[in-house]
């Protein structure tokens, strides 16, 4: 069973809770965007911009569950950093927004898949192509 699969907490309350959670951690420029069956939460923390994007099946129950799961993920990452289990970079690396607007995950995930398929080291261009 998925986390919070049977939650009755309203989606809107969970979004307010997520925003309050990241603000309490010191986040600035916090925003949310909804696009059909997808939610994006973006915020600045330290000198980094962080972006989480989650989609759901077209049902209110799925929307509530995914929002609660997202809150759990963000809360766990913040706790991990606060407790010294991980550095900020370790906890949030996949969600850090790069200069082209893509997250680290979006930039390198294809290369990681290719490396696993081919067995050959891939070249990861985190900074993008040089001019």
């Amino acid at each position: 069973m998925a986390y919070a699969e049977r939650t009755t907490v309203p989606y809107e309350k969970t979004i307010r809770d997520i925003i309050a959670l990241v603000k309490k951690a010191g986040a600035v420029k916090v925003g949310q965007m909804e696009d059909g069956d997808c939610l994006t939460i973006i915020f600045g923390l330290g000198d980094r911009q962080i972006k989480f994007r989650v989609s759901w099946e077209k049902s209110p129950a799925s929307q509530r569950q995914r929002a609660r799961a997202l809150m759990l993920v963000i809360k766990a990452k913040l706790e991990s950093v606060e407790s010294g289990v991980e550095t900020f970079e370790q906890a949030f690396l996949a969600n850090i927004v790069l200069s082209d607007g893509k997250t680290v995950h979006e930039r390198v995930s294809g290369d990681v898949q290719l490396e696993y398929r081919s067995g050959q080291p891939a070249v990861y261009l985190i900074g993008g192509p040089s001019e």
Side-chain angles (χ1 to χ4, degrees), residues 48-67:
R48 300 286 187 253
Q49 189 174 30
I50 308 299
K51 180 170 67 174
F52 286 89
R53 185 174 168 90
V54 64
S55 59
W56 51 81
E57 298 167 10
K58 295 186 185 282
S59 76
S62 176
Q63 184 184 45
R64 288 190 306 269
Q65 183 275 325
R66 292 290 170 87

Side-chain angles (χ1 to χ4, degrees), residues 22-57:
V22 298
K23 283 184 176 181
K24 183 178 178 186
V28 295
K29 297 182 182 177
V30 180
Q32 75 177 75
M33 183 178 74
E34 296 174 43
D35 183 17
D37 59 352
C38 185
L39 167 70
T40 302
I41 299 282
I42 193 162
F43 55 92
L45 198 55
D47 62 347
R48 300 286 187 253
Q49 189 174 30
I50 308 299
K51 180 170 67 174
F52 286 89
R53 185 174 168 90
V54 64
S55 59
W56 51 81
E57 298 167 10

